[in-house]
Amino acid sequence: MGMAQTAALVIRGPRTPASAAIGFGLIWVFLFLFVLYPLTRIFYDAFSDEAGQLTLANFYEFFTDRYYLRSLWNSLVLGVATVVTTSVIGIAVAFLIIRFEFPYRNLFSYLTMLPMILPPLVGVLGFVFILGRAGTVNVLLMDWFGMLHPVNFMYGTHGVLLVETLHLFPFMTLSILDSLSKVDPSLEEAAQVMGANGWRRFRDVTLPLTTPGYVSGALLVFIWTFADFVTPLVVGVQDLLAVQAYLNITQFVDRRIFRMGIVISALLVVLAIVFVLVARHYVAIKDYSSLAYSRVERRQLGPVARWLAVGFLVLLLFASLLPQAGVVLAAVGKGWSLTALPDHYTLDHFRQVSVETPRFIVNSLLYSGLAVLICLVIGVPMAWIMARTRTPGRGAMDALTTLILAIPGTAIGIAYKQLFVAAARAQVDGRSGRERRRRQVDHVQGHHRAARVEGHPRRRDFFLHHVDPGGLRHAVPHAGRLGDDPLRNLHLLHRRIPQPGGRARRDPDRALCGESLRGQSRRGSARRRAVRVR
Amino acid sequence: MIRTSKPSAFVLTTLLAVAAPVAAQQIENELVLITPVARTLTDPALAEFAKYAKEKWNVNVKTSALAAGTPVAYGRIVEWKGRPEADIFWGGESALFDKLAEQKLLAKLDLPKSVVDSIPDSIGKPKPIPLKDPKGYWIGTVLEPYGLVYHPRLYQRLGIEPPKDWDDLLNPKLKGNVAQCAPTRSSSSHATYEVILQRDGDEKGWAWLKRLGGNTGIFTARSRDVPAVVARGEFAAGFAVPSYMAFEDRLAGHDIKFVAPKTAWITPEPIGILAGSKRPRTALAFVEFMLSERGQNMAMERGVFPITPKHRVQGKPGSQAEMAVEFTGGIRSYFDVEVTNIYDDDKAQARYEQVNSQFRKEIESVAEELKRK
């Protein structure tokens, strides 16, 4: 409490009230531009038709379309299934590491975190190289046992489940680890004294005590899986909600399908918010006494059990990390197909990306660097305001930054584009100099990209804050998922979305936002906002 | 993608002769394309053009390409309203170029008569594919079939003969082994869906496409992924693949073959200069370059075919051009062979969305049921 008061004093403090107020204002401008605007935009588009009239027809179409409903159902089932599988593995690993002593325990505690920090797209490709229809495992099976058809490990929802499980279980492990190490041993001792042993004690006492950590981990795993479209696309699964949003938005050809993509994005946002609220409510209704970190005695495992534990962890790590070997092989293999290992090796691919097209690497570094910068400039003061002050409006600030976690990147990109590109255009209209125009658009593009990435560390922060204080303490902020969108797509988003065949066309931008007579004033205010960004 | 080439003296003389009219003026030092053609073709084209411009005018042309699917590119050009952010529109259906010309969004191509005359008016029967605009607003650059790809070793393993026509993809032994991209997301797929529908009529056509859906193991996210998954051996055959996209995977060392069935649609990849372009001389120089010996040779090494009867895909034994000939089934020029075309672009454009929604309803949303049949 004392700290909060001190912090509040600083905000109201006599030293720099003006600059603090300006900083506070600037943060709000930022939130308005990059969070509030896209959110309202997505919902407006979801609830309006091509003429800009408000309507429920889009949602009617969604809820009467069998395919969309199936996608919704499949997404929910997949999310729950992933939570179940990651729970089983995650909890087992966490308990082994924190409660038992066995060979290489420390090493395993680090290694089991590895799958989490490896890039997701690379992960799923690696799985395909090893477990795909022409992957190493199938080739060996076919060669050794004369099987005619490959075993389908990957293509289908089960493949998505496999990849998500092996990628996400460390999040669960981390959450449980943190909660477990805070469980007061005296509670367990008390349980033991009262005759609850082994499994019973674990089920009735220990496990419930880890609930806050568990719920934060489960929520993260669920939303991650729910919003992921890259993994399903690689293994050919399209009847999932996030995949449908992405595919519908990026096809650009059919305006009706495009709008349904926006509608699905809006649904993703709503559902994500619901999940977050439910999780918070669930944690809130349970009473958790103040828990402090405490030293836990580790039990020595018996000779058989200890090697079983090692065997389990080795197997788990093997399964999670083997695909990465597939990626390495594919990177140095030339024309690798239908053989267990590549027949020919080359370093040419590395030469290509580093010498011929270095801009991909340069851009990646540039944009992530910019993102880090924006995170520092915006995110740090924001976190400080929310955690250490009682500034009015911080609750709303908190809610907004939480919401952005749930919005699919593609939908955000579209909304940004409509605002900023239109604004840049409006501004240069009437002025000459296309160089200037291009610079502005580029500038704004940079903003989108950076701003989009900005959400991620905040995601972690959110889970830290709301569900389990201290929960994912060790989580590595992970750029890339939760409805995230390859930057290349954002580039694509700047293209038009016309009707095919060149029938009577409207300006798609305006059609999309229902901009007609109100166009002028909207453009005007858009311009003012854009000016402030610059 | 940088490509090395050693143009012969003959090539140089020809291109000097061809380019003589523009040589008098200095060209501008920038060029921007807006194009649905994949980078695997546009990058080498722009790189080779930049070299050519340096040699000829001693100008360092800064080149770039805005990648955009055909309808998207068209929409942007319309929206630019004659103040384009690019100089050249390259690729897509010629019907769209006609529409742009009607709206006065294309500039007339001021090409030497000899260049224009070297390209025939059309190719193929019974529906001729126009190769240039009689009014002179666009002109074809290369011939590029949308065919099918297959993995020879996988075919061998499955014990089936290499495919020759679309119908071979319906072989029950290929169940779950075909890759395609949805026509809602790929113009090559859409055109080939139309080929089947116009070949068989709507009713039989859709029945055929549903059977293909039943054999399909994956609908890829992008058309470029179709040859990629076949090249890796994940799937045995791929539907509706532009020849040069498949050839890229061959160049990468993969075991993949391409077949253009008799009724495969061939696009002339039209090119036009946008009205109001700030760099008209460089734009025209690029069009001329593409139609020159050097430009055509460059394209032929990437797996497409010459637009003029006087050029053929030819190179030294073991050269990339010869590899392309072998890859595309031994054809050196589409003017050597009888070209059958049944694809009617006007018809396709008129019912574009209808075909998409029917695909969604009858194939995409019931893919699992189709597979079980």
Side-chain angles (χ1 to χ4, degrees):
Chain A
M1 288 307 110
M3 263 205 291
Q5 276 158 5
T6 331
L9 273 178
V10 174
I11 275 285
R12 284 186 265 105
R15 273 183 297 169
T16 51
S19 61
I22 290 172
F24 189 66
L26 281 177
I27 288 176
W28 267 108
V29 170
F30 180 88
L31 284 178
F32 185 81
L33 272 175
F34 292 107
V35 184
L36 201 61
Y37 174 77
L39 263 179
T40 50
R41 187 47 174 279
I42 286 169
F43 281 95
Y44 176 75
D45 285 343
F47 282 103
S48 61
D49 60 18
E50 296 292 299
Q53 298 293 315
L54 289 180
T55 174
L56 284 172
N58 303 324
F59 286 89
Y60 179 78
E61 180 172 338
F62 180 91
F63 286 106
T64 50
D65 186 310
R66 261 178 52 211
Y67 192 58
Y68 288 144
L69 288 179
R70 194 172 79 209
S71 303
L72 171 61
W73 176 247
N74 287 351
S75 283
L76 293 170
V77 170
L78 179 69
V80 171
T82 313
V83 169
V84 171
T85 52
T86 50
S87 299
V88 172
I89 297 178
I91 293 175
V93 172
F95 264 82
L96 275 178
I97 285 174
I98 207 150
R99 289 293 166 89
F100 298 99
E101 196 58 68
F102 54 90
Y104 307 111
R105 193 193 62 86
N106 240 329
L107 180 67
F108 279 121
S109 72
Y110 293 114
L111 287 181
T112 45
M113 296 304 125
L114 258 186
M116 180 174 73
I117 58 171
L118 296 164
L121 177 65
V122 176
V124 62
L125 284 175
F127 273 98
V128 171
F129 291 132
I130 301 294
L131 287 175
R133 293 163 55 93
T136 306
V137 172
N138 266 317
V139 168
L140 292 179
L141 285 176
M142 291 191 281
D143 286 353
W144 292 346
F145 303 107
M147 280 169 39
L148 185 62
H149 293 288
V151 182
N152 184 10
F153 295 110
M154 294 306 303
Y155 293 92
T157 320
H158 60 288
V160 184
L161 182 62
L162 177 74
V163 176
E164 303 286 12
T165 302
L166 289 177
H167 180 233
L168 296 176
F169 80 84
F171 284 108
M172 209 64 114
T173 305
L174 273 180
S175 321
I176 301 284
L177 269 183
D178 199 69
S179 313
L180 262 185
S181 45
K182 284 186 293 183
V183 169
D184 192 339
S186 59
L187 290 171
E188 290 184 298
E189 281 158 22
Q192 192 151 21
V193 169
M194 287 190 281
N197 271 315
W199 171 247
R200 173 110 195 263
R201 191 186 61 192
F202 172 76
R203 193 194 61 193
D204 292 348
V205 178
T206 317
L207 206 55
L209 282 171
T210 60
T211 305
Y214 175 75
V215 171
S216 101
L219 187 64
L220 183 59
V221 167
F222 186 89
I223 291 193
W224 191 301
T225 311
F226 196 70
D228 182 17
F229 59 85
V230 176
T231 310
L233 273 180
V234 173
V235 297
V237 175
Q238 303 192 346
D239 43 5
L240 292 173
L241 220 47
V243 180
Q244 283 298 309
Y246 172 78
L247 289 179
N248 285 1
I249 288 176
T250 52
Q251 52 85 35
F252 294 107
V253 181
D254 191 321
R255 304 213 21 95
R256 186 71 213 141
I257 296 179
F258 173 83
R259 185 169 293 271
M260 287 312 290
I262 301 283
V263 171
I264 298 172
S265 304
L267 267 174
L268 281 172
V269 176
V270 172
L271 288 171
I273 293 171
V274 168
F275 301 143
V276 170
L277 291 179
V278 167
R280 284 173 78 167
H281 182 69
Y282 184 72
V283 175
I285 54 174
K286 303 207 166 199
D287 183 35
Y288 298 100
S289 44
S290 172
L291 306 166
Y293 283 99
S294 53
R295 182 113 192 98
V296 188
E297 289 295 314
R298 290 205 183 84
R299 256 178 60 201
Q300 276 292 343
L301 279 174
V304 181
R306 69 162 60 177
W307 291 111
L308 276 177
V310 171
F312 164 70
L313 290 172
V314 166
L315 208 69
L316 181 65
L317 281 174
F318 183 74
S320 324
L321 300 179
L322 186 67
Q324 313 304 329
V327 173
V328 173
L329 283 174
V332 294
K334 186 172 164 62
W336 181 21
S337 69
L338 278 192
T339 49
L341 298 173
D343 286 339
H344 308 282
Y345 291 88
T346 175
L347 286 175
D348 198 48
H349 302 138
F350 289 94
R351 188 187 60 80
Q352 277 177 9
V353 292
S354 57
V355 179
E356 288 185 16
T357 50
R359 77 192 147 104
F360 296 136
I361 300 175
V362 172
N363 283 351
S364 297
L365 292 175
L366 182 69
Y367 291 127
S368 22
L370 278 175
V372 169
L373 215 66
I374 295 179
C375 280
L376 287 176
V377 172
I378 300 286
V380 171
M382 206 146 67
W384 185 78
I385 287 171
M386 286 186 286
R388 296 286 161 86
T389 76
R390 293 177 167 186
T391 318
R394 75 195 159 94
M397 183 182 277
D398 194 22
L400 274 182
T401 36
T402 302
L403 285 187
I404 202 163
L405 308 174
I407 313 176
T410 315
I412 285 209
I414 290 273
Y416 282 1
K417 178 219 149 201
Q418 281 164 356
L419 173 63
F420 298 121
V421 177
R425 281 230 177 86
Q427 196 180 36
V428 289
D429 270 0
R431 290 190 202 176
S432 61
R434 52 174 264 112
E435 259 320 302
R436 183 191 179 81
R437 164 168 22 183
R438 175 160 330 133
R439 259 207 313 280
Q440 283 162 340
V441 174
D442 284 350
H443 185 70
V444 169
Q445 284 177 356
H447 267 288
H448 299 173
R449 295 172 186 192
R452 178 57 202 148
V453 185
E454 183 267 339
H456 294 107
R458 170 65 195 153
R459 168 167 78 231
R460 170 186 169 231
D461 196 45
F462 158 70
F463 286 102
L464 278 175
H465 245 269
H466 294 273
V467 181
D468 171 25
L472 287 170
R473 190 179 302 276
H474 315 284
V476 179
H478 193 304
R481 286 280 266 273
L482 204 81
D484 191 61
D485 181 32
L487 295 178
R488 141 183 81 77
N489 293 325
L490 206 52
H491 193 67
L492 268 174
L493 296 178
H494 290 264
R495 312 288 178 260
R496 280 306 90 115
I497 310 107
Q499 293 172 340
R503 259 164 281 142
R505 268 156 218 275
R506 295 155 43 77
D507 178 333
D509 248 0
R510 293 189 200 186
L512 203 70
C513 60
E515 192 174 19
S516 50
L517 291 172
R518 292 157 297 147
Q520 284 316 312
S521 68
R522 185 187 293 249
R523 278 189 177 203
S525 59
R527 183 189 315 168
R528 281 193 294 280
R529 275 174 253 153
V531 169
R532 266 187 276 169
V533 187
R534 252 175 256 123
Chain B
M1 217 154 292
I2 294 163
R3 209 185 52 81
T4 55
S5 88
K6 299 186 187 86
S8 64
F10 170 73
V11 175
L12 278 173
T13 28
T14 323
L15 102 215
L16 281 176
V18 164
V22 253
Q25 288 171 298
Q26 194 70 351
I27 60 167
E28 301 89 354
N29 64 356
E30 203 183 346
L31 181 70
V32 183
L33 308 182
I34 179 159
T35 178
V37 180
R39 283 186 46 227
T40 51
L41 190 54
T42 56
D43 278 1
L46 288 173
E48 192 67 16
F49 172 70
K51 263 198 258 169
Y52 161 77
K54 177 80 184 157
E55 287 163 23
K56 191 167 164 60
W57 293 281
N58 197 26
V59 173
N60 292 311
V61 181
K62 190 172 160 263
T63 62
S64 59
L66 296 173
T70 308
V72 179
Y74 174 89
R76 286 200 92 187
I77 295 166
V78 171
E79 200 197 52
W80 286 334
K81 299 188 182 81
R83 284 193 299 165
E85 288 173 22
D87 307 298
I88 280 185
F89 181 26
W90 183 22
E93 285 85 30
S94 55
L96 294 183
F97 283 75
D98 291 335
K99 281 184 193 128
L100 287 177
E102 273 167 33
Q103 300 166 69
K104 301 197 180 352
L105 293 174
L106 289 184
K108 233 180 187 142
L109 295 171
D110 189 17
L111 291 165
K113 193 168 181 305
S114 60
V115 173
V116 178
D117 287 347
S118 66
I119 299 172
D121 291 335
S122 67
I123 191 171
K125 277 185 275 190
K127 294 228 165 60
I129 305 166
L131 300 184
K132 62 185 178 191
D133 178 19
K135 297 192 210 83
Y137 285 100
W138 61 266
I139 197 156
T141 51
V142 294
L143 290 177
E144 171 199 320
Y146 295 159
L148 49 89
V149 290
Y150 68 101
H151 193 290
R153 268 185 294 150
L154 206 46
Y155 258 64
Q156 219 170 6
R157 214 185 261 252
L158 293 168
I160 42 182
E161 289 293 305
K164 291 199 169 47
D165 202 354
W166 305 117
D167 295 345
D168 295 332
L169 295 181
L170 300 187
N171 189 330
K173 284 189 179 170
L174 280 175
K175 195 156 240 348
N177 244 322
V178 177
Q180 62 168 313
C181 184
T184 46
R185 290 192 289 280
S186 147
S187 58
S188 56
S189 171
H190 194 103
T192 312
Y193 265 64
E194 279 285 354
V195 165
I196 300 293
L197 291 173
Q198 296 183 17
R199 181 191 72 173
D200 296 354
D202 281 4
E203 197 179 321
K204 278 190 186 161
W206 279 110
W208 192 101
L209 290 167
K210 279 187 218 168
R211 284 177 65 198
L212 183 72
N215 262 4
T216 299
I218 191 169
F219 283 97
T220 61
R222 306 174 306 160
S223 57
R224 177 67 190 88
D225 298 336
V226 174
V229 295
V230 174
R232 277 212 311 269
E234 288 290 304
F235 297 91
F239 177 70
V241 179
S243 55
Y244 72 95
M245 285 188 188
F247 190 55
E248 278 314 304
D249 286 311
R250 177 73 192 83
L251 286 179
H254 285 287
D255 198 2
I256 183 174
K257 294 242 184 207
F258 176 87
V259 177
K262 240 188 151 34
T263 49
W265 190 56
I266 299 167
T267 165
E269 295 290 20
I271 198 166
I273 297 176
L274 300 182
S277 154
K278 300 248 167 34
R279 295 161 290 248
R281 290 196 295 275
T282 313
L284 189 66
F286 181 74
V287 176
E288 287 206 41
F289 165 78
M290 281 308 297
L291 301 175
S292 70
E293 178 102 20
R294 186 168 173 181
Q296 292 285 298
N297 280 343
M298 177 282 306
M300 282 172 237
E301 292 193 358
R302 312 307 303 196
V304 289
F305 297 90
I307 190 82
T308 68
K310 70 176 181 197
H311 296 121
R312 8 178 67 67
V313 189
Q314 205 136 30
K316 292 197 193 89
S319 66
Q320 203 164 304
E322 286 302 312
M323 206 164 135
V325 171
E326 193 235 300
F327 180 70
T328 45
I331 294 179
R332 290 179 185 277
S333 164
Y334 269 104
F335 299 99
D336 290 351
V337 293
E338 190 91 334
V339 173
T340 308
N341 180 54
I342 54 170
Y343 172 85
D344 180 346
D345 197 36
D346 291 337
K347 193 170 179 180
Q349 298 293 331
R351 62 175 186 188
Y352 205 95
E353 281 176 34
Q354 188 223 315
V355 166
N356 278 349
S357 62
Q358 197 158 350
F359 163 79
R360 255 183 64 77
K361 208 168 108 217
E362 294 185 11
I363 295 177
E364 189 175 40
S365 65
V366 290
E368 292 307 314
E369 286 118 85
L370 291 177
K371 271 182 212 168
R372 271 180 242 121
K373 276 184 193 163

